[in-house]
Amino acid sequence: MIRLGVNVDHVATVRQARQAEVPDPVAAALLAEKAGADGITVHLREDRRHIQERDVERLREQAATKVNLEMAVTLAMVAYAERIRPNDACFVPEKREELTTEGGLDVVSHKIKVKDAVKKLQDRGIHVSLFIDPVPAQIEAAKQVGAYAIELHTGTYCNANAAAREKELAAIASAATLARSIDLEVHGGHGLDYENVLPIADIPEIVELNIGHSIIARAVIVGISQAVREMKELLLRARR
Ligand code: PXP
C-alpha cells in the first residue's frame, strides 16, 4: 500500500493571512492522521510565510505518524533540522519570489553542498529525500550524494495537457525504475489531485506520495477527515 503524506502548509497560510491563532495546522494534521494519513509534511520556508518553527516543534511532539520536513539546503535550515530531528527531511529548491516549489533541486550542480547537508541529517538518523525532476542525471547525482530517497517532481505531469501527459508519465515511470535499480527509495509529489493521482500511484516503485493543495482545497468544502479518506480510498485502487 502506497503511503500518503498530507502537506498541511495551506492551513498555516490561512492562519497567517490574519496573523491569527486559527486554523491550526497541527490540529489539521492530527485529524488527517486519524483519517488515514501515513505521514505529515510541512515546508518551513526561509521567509516563514506559512509554517512557523513552533508548528514544526508541536508537530514533532504530537504527530502519531511521521513528520517530513521540507526545507531549503541552507546552513540555518540544516542546523534547525539537526536540532528538531524530524523523521524525514526533503530538500527542495527555494526562492523567495516563488509561489511554491517550481522545479526540482539541481543536485548535479550543487553536489558538494547537498552531500554535506545529506550527511549531517542522516548522521542524526533522519531519512533524507531530494525533490528532483525525473531526469537520469539528477537521480544518479542523488545516489552519489548519499540520499536515502528521491521525491520525483510530478508537477510537469500534472500541468501537461492530455497529449503531453503520457510522455511525462513515462518519464516519471522510467525515472522511478532507474532510482529503484540503484537502491533509492522513490516518492512523488507536487500538483497531485483526485483526478490525476492514480496513474502515478500505479507506478510500482513509488512508495510514498506527498499531497497538499488538492486535499486542503477539498477539506475547505467537506472537512479534512473526509478529504483525506477520499484520497486514501483512491490510492487503495492503485495497481500494486
Ligand atoms: N512535495 C514537495 C517537495 C513540495 O514542495 C510540495 C509543495 O509544497 C508538495 C509535495 C505538495 O504539492 P501540492 O501542494 O501541489 O500537493
Side-chain angles (χ1 to χ4, degrees):
M1 174 59 189
I2 195 163
R3 299 192 297 265
L4 171 62
V6 175
N7 180 319
V8 294
D9 292 351
H10 281 9
V11 180
T13 299
V14 175
R15 179 190 62 192
Q16 296 310 112
R18 284 290 174 94
Q19 301 286 325
E21 298 291 320
V22 291
D24 176 13
V26 178
L30 301 184
L31 285 171
E33 287 183 326
K34 286 211 180 81
D38 302 291
I40 301 298
T41 295
V42 287
H43 185 176
L44 183 65
R45 296 188 73 100
E46 208 185 347
D47 62 10
R48 306 293 192 262
R49 75 172 66 142
H50 41 54
I51 293 292
Q52 307 295 307
E53 290 179 25
R54 181 84 190 111
D55 298 325
V56 182
E57 287 146 34
R58 287 172 55 235
L59 201 54
R60 191 72 190 94
E61 288 159 14
Q62 294 179 41
T65 59
K66 61 181 186 136
V67 175
N68 175 30
L69 179 62
E70 290 179 1
M71 53 190 272
V73 194
T74 65
L75 287 176
M77 276 310 306
V78 169
Y80 179 77
E82 283 183 284
R83 184 162 66 78
I84 298 302
R85 292 181 70 176
N87 306 86
D88 299 346
C90 180
F91 284 123
V92 300
E94 199 178 298
K95 292 194 222 92
R96 269 172 220 280
E97 63 275 16
E98 283 173 358
L99 274 179
T100 179
T101 316
E102 280 167 0
L105 191 68
D106 185 359
V107 186
V108 172
S109 307
H110 300 99
K111 258 193 213 160
I112 293 170
K113 184 174 155 189
V114 177
K115 186 174 184 178
D116 183 53
V118 167
K119 180 170 181 344
K120 279 187 178 150
L121 296 196
Q122 292 193 159
D123 283 352
R124 300 281 287 157
I126 302 163
H127 280 150
V128 176
S129 73
L130 304 178
F131 181 59
I132 56 174
D133 292 325
V135 170
Q138 297 293 349
I139 293 162
E140 279 148 16
K143 183 67 187 174
Q144 286 159 15
V145 301
Y148 175 79
I150 56 166
E151 180 167 318
L152 291 171
H153 188 332
T154 52
T156 312
Y157 155 81
C158 294
N159 291 332
N161 59 28
R165 194 168 267 199
E166 284 307 311
K167 187 170 141 267
E168 296 302 334
L169 187 61
I172 293 169
S174 73
T177 304
L178 169 62
R180 218 34 234 137
S181 76
I182 53 176
D183 219 19
L184 286 162
E185 190 171 288
V186 189
H187 308 165
H190 203 86
L192 296 171
D193 64 23
Y194 299 85
E195 303 292 321
N196 64 24
V197 75
L198 260 188
I200 296 291
D202 279 340
I203 297 171
E205 292 89 354
I206 296 183
V207 296
E208 175 177 312
L209 295 176
N210 286 298
I211 307 181
H213 180 87
S214 63
I215 291 177
I216 303 304
R218 180 100 183 112
V220 171
I221 308 299
V222 301
I224 191 151
S225 302
Q226 188 176 328
V228 172
R229 270 198 306 272
E230 288 174 5
M231 186 58 81
K232 278 290 284 191
E233 279 161 18
L234 260 178
L235 295 182
L236 274 171
R237 290 194 218 146
R239 281 195 300 265
R240 52 184 60 235

PDB file of all heavy atoms in Angstrom, residues 7 70 92 100-101 131 151 189-191 210-213, ligand 1:
ATOM      1  N   ASN A   7       0.337  17.245   3.257  1.00  0.00           N
ATOM      2  CA  ASN A   7       1.032  18.519   3.482  1.00  0.00           C
ATOM      3  C   ASN A   7       0.013  19.554   3.980  1.00  0.00           C
ATOM      4  O   ASN A   7      -0.978  19.837   3.296  1.00  0.00           O
ATOM      5  CB  ASN A   7       1.685  18.971   2.160  1.00  0.00           C
ATOM      6  CG  ASN A   7       2.422  20.286   2.291  1.00  0.00           C
ATOM      7  OD1 ASN A   7       1.936  21.201   2.939  1.00  0.00           O
ATOM      8  ND2 ASN A   7       3.580  20.390   1.670  1.00  0.00           N
ATOM      9  N   GLU A  70      10.102  19.585   4.806  1.00  0.00           N
ATOM     10  CA  GLU A  70      10.662  20.097   3.544  1.00  0.00           C
ATOM     11  C   GLU A  70      11.450  21.348   3.853  1.00  0.00           C
ATOM     12  O   GLU A  70      10.982  22.218   4.601  1.00  0.00           O
ATOM     13  CB  GLU A  70       9.538  20.459   2.568  1.00  0.00           C
ATOM     14  CG  GLU A  70       8.797  19.268   2.027  1.00  0.00           C
ATOM     15  CD  GLU A  70       7.675  19.674   1.081  1.00  0.00           C
ATOM     16  OE1 GLU A  70       7.495  20.893   0.826  1.00  0.00           O
ATOM     17  OE2 GLU A  70       6.970  18.783   0.612  1.00  0.00           O
ATOM     18  N   VAL A  92      14.408  20.834  -0.919  1.00  0.00           N
ATOM     19  CA  VAL A  92      13.709  21.430  -2.069  1.00  0.00           C
ATOM     20  C   VAL A  92      14.409  22.733  -2.444  1.00  0.00           C
ATOM     21  O   VAL A  92      15.031  23.362  -1.589  1.00  0.00           O
ATOM     22  CB  VAL A  92      12.219  21.714  -1.741  1.00  0.00           C
ATOM     23  CG1 VAL A  92      11.479  20.451  -1.372  1.00  0.00           C
ATOM     24  CG2 VAL A  92      12.077  22.739  -0.624  1.00  0.00           C
ATOM     25  N   THR A 100       5.375  28.608  -5.045  1.00  0.00           N
ATOM     26  CA  THR A 100       5.597  27.312  -4.406  1.00  0.00           C
ATOM     27  C   THR A 100       6.838  26.734  -5.047  1.00  0.00           C
ATOM     28  O   THR A 100       7.511  27.401  -5.816  1.00  0.00           O
ATOM     29  CB  THR A 100       4.354  26.407  -4.545  1.00  0.00           C
ATOM     30  OG1 THR A 100       4.643  25.152  -3.934  1.00  0.00           O
ATOM     31  CG2 THR A 100       3.971  26.174  -5.995  1.00  0.00           C
ATOM     32  N   THR A 101       7.160  25.514  -4.697  1.00  0.00           N
ATOM     33  CA  THR A 101       8.344  24.898  -5.274  1.00  0.00           C
ATOM     34  C   THR A 101       8.079  24.663  -6.756  1.00  0.00           C
ATOM     35  O   THR A 101       7.148  23.952  -7.103  1.00  0.00           O
ATOM     36  CB  THR A 101       8.623  23.559  -4.565  1.00  0.00           C
ATOM     37  OG1 THR A 101       8.463  23.770  -3.183  1.00  0.00           O
ATOM     38  CG2 THR A 101      10.002  23.050  -4.859  1.00  0.00           C
ATOM     39  N   PHE A 131      14.074  16.353  -3.677  1.00  0.00           N
ATOM     40  CA  PHE A 131      12.975  16.624  -4.605  1.00  0.00           C
ATOM     41  C   PHE A 131      13.588  16.989  -5.952  1.00  0.00           C
ATOM     42  O   PHE A 131      14.178  18.064  -6.099  1.00  0.00           O
ATOM     43  CB  PHE A 131      12.156  17.779  -4.045  1.00  0.00           C
ATOM     44  CG  PHE A 131      10.964  18.176  -4.866  1.00  0.00           C
ATOM     45  CD1 PHE A 131       9.954  17.276  -5.159  1.00  0.00           C
ATOM     46  CD2 PHE A 131      10.817  19.491  -5.312  1.00  0.00           C
ATOM     47  CE1 PHE A 131       8.843  17.651  -5.883  1.00  0.00           C
ATOM     48  CE2 PHE A 131       9.700  19.885  -6.041  1.00  0.00           C
ATOM     49  CZ  PHE A 131       8.718  18.961  -6.324  1.00  0.00           C
ATOM     50  N   GLU A 151      12.247  12.329  -4.170  1.00  0.00           N
ATOM     51  CA  GLU A 151      10.832  12.610  -4.423  1.00  0.00           C
ATOM     52  C   GLU A 151      10.753  13.144  -5.840  1.00  0.00           C
ATOM     53  O   GLU A 151      11.302  14.217  -6.141  1.00  0.00           O
ATOM     54  CB  GLU A 151      10.273  13.627  -3.427  1.00  0.00           C
ATOM     55  CG  GLU A 151       8.790  13.913  -3.703  1.00  0.00           C
ATOM     56  CD  GLU A 151       8.090  14.660  -2.591  1.00  0.00           C
ATOM     57  OE1 GLU A 151       8.329  14.340  -1.408  1.00  0.00           O
ATOM     58  OE2 GLU A 151       7.309  15.565  -2.915  1.00  0.00           O
ATOM     59  N   GLY A 189       5.493  13.791  -5.725  1.00  0.00           N
ATOM     60  CA  GLY A 189       4.658  14.858  -5.207  1.00  0.00           C
ATOM     61  C   GLY A 189       4.713  16.106  -6.042  1.00  0.00           C
ATOM     62  O   GLY A 189       5.612  16.300  -6.851  1.00  0.00           O
ATOM     63  N   HIS A 190       3.747  16.925  -5.824  1.00  0.00           N
ATOM     64  CA  HIS A 190       3.517  18.258  -6.389  1.00  0.00           C
ATOM     65  C   HIS A 190       2.427  18.222  -7.457  1.00  0.00           C
ATOM     66  O   HIS A 190       2.596  17.578  -8.485  1.00  0.00           O
ATOM     67  CB  HIS A 190       4.779  18.904  -6.969  1.00  0.00           C
ATOM     68  CG  HIS A 190       4.656  20.389  -7.014  1.00  0.00           C
ATOM     69  ND1 HIS A 190       4.967  21.188  -5.950  1.00  0.00           N
ATOM     70  CD2 HIS A 190       4.172  21.193  -7.964  1.00  0.00           C
ATOM     71  CE1 HIS A 190       4.710  22.435  -6.251  1.00  0.00           C
ATOM     72  NE2 HIS A 190       4.223  22.474  -7.461  1.00  0.00           N
ATOM     73  N   GLY A 191       1.342  18.909  -7.159  1.00  0.00           N
ATOM     74  CA  GLY A 191       0.257  19.053  -8.126  1.00  0.00           C
ATOM     75  C   GLY A 191      -0.701  17.874  -8.211  1.00  0.00           C
ATOM     76  O   GLY A 191      -1.630  17.894  -9.017  1.00  0.00           O
ATOM     77  N   ASN A 210       3.351  12.755  -1.528  1.00  0.00           N
ATOM     78  CA  ASN A 210       3.103  13.899  -0.643  1.00  0.00           C
ATOM     79  C   ASN A 210       2.168  14.871  -1.354  1.00  0.00           C
ATOM     80  O   ASN A 210       2.497  15.369  -2.434  1.00  0.00           O
ATOM     81  CB  ASN A 210       4.425  14.562  -0.258  1.00  0.00           C
ATOM     82  CG  ASN A 210       5.161  13.700   0.734  1.00  0.00           C
ATOM     83  OD1 ASN A 210       4.653  13.454   1.834  1.00  0.00           O
ATOM     84  ND2 ASN A 210       6.310  13.180   0.364  1.00  0.00           N
ATOM     85  N   ILE A 211       1.010  15.085  -0.726  1.00  0.00           N
ATOM     86  CA  ILE A 211      -0.050  15.851  -1.389  1.00  0.00           C
ATOM     87  C   ILE A 211      -0.572  16.923  -0.427  1.00  0.00           C
ATOM     88  O   ILE A 211      -0.892  16.630   0.723  1.00  0.00           O
ATOM     89  CB  ILE A 211      -1.206  14.926  -1.834  1.00  0.00           C
ATOM     90  CG1 ILE A 211      -0.661  13.759  -2.674  1.00  0.00           C
ATOM     91  CG2 ILE A 211      -2.268  15.720  -2.600  1.00  0.00           C
ATOM     92  CD1 ILE A 211      -1.712  12.784  -3.183  1.00  0.00           C
ATOM     93  N   GLY A 212      -0.647  18.160  -0.925  1.00  0.00           N
ATOM     94  CA  GLY A 212      -1.116  19.255  -0.092  1.00  0.00           C
ATOM     95  C   GLY A 212      -2.312  19.978  -0.661  1.00  0.00           C
ATOM     96  O   GLY A 212      -3.437  19.819  -0.194  1.00  0.00           O
ATOM     97  N   HIS A 213      -2.085  20.747  -1.716  1.00  0.00           N
ATOM     98  CA  HIS A 213      -3.100  21.691  -2.198  1.00  0.00           C
ATOM     99  C   HIS A 213      -4.471  21.041  -2.430  1.00  0.00           C
ATOM    100  O   HIS A 213      -5.492  21.543  -1.955  1.00  0.00           O
ATOM    101  CB  HIS A 213      -2.612  22.370  -3.485  1.00  0.00           C
ATOM    102  CG  HIS A 213      -3.589  23.347  -4.021  1.00  0.00           C
ATOM    103  ND1 HIS A 213      -3.638  24.662  -3.615  1.00  0.00           N
ATOM    104  CD2 HIS A 213      -4.608  23.195  -4.915  1.00  0.00           C
ATOM    105  CE1 HIS A 213      -4.630  25.270  -4.230  1.00  0.00           C
ATOM    106  NE2 HIS A 213      -5.229  24.413  -5.031  1.00  0.00           N
TER     107      HIS A 213
HETATM  108  N1  PXP B   1       6.327  17.770  -2.486  1.00  0.00           N
HETATM  109  C1  PXP B   1       7.116  18.875  -2.449  1.00  0.00           C
HETATM  110  C2  PXP B   1       8.592  18.686  -2.412  1.00  0.00           C
HETATM  111  C3  PXP B   1       6.564  20.166  -2.406  1.00  0.00           C
HETATM  112  O1  PXP B   1       7.366  21.238  -2.350  1.00  0.00           O
HETATM  113  C4  PXP B   1       5.161  20.304  -2.400  1.00  0.00           C
HETATM  114  C5  PXP B   1       4.551  21.662  -2.316  1.00  0.00           C
HETATM  115  O2  PXP B   1       4.836  22.233  -1.089  1.00  0.00           O
HETATM  116  C6  PXP B   1       4.388  19.125  -2.425  1.00  0.00           C
HETATM  117  C7  PXP B   1       4.996  17.885  -2.491  1.00  0.00           C
HETATM  118  C8  PXP B   1       2.903  19.174  -2.395  1.00  0.00           C
HETATM  119  O3  PXP B   1       2.441  19.784  -3.542  1.00  0.00           O
HETATM  120  P1  PXP B   1       0.908  20.151  -3.695  1.00  0.00           P
HETATM  121  O4  PXP B   1       0.581  21.160  -2.640  1.00  0.00           O
HETATM  122  O5  PXP B   1       0.812  20.678  -5.077  1.00  0.00           O
HETATM  123  O6  PXP B   1       0.133  18.869  -3.485  1.00  0.00           O
END
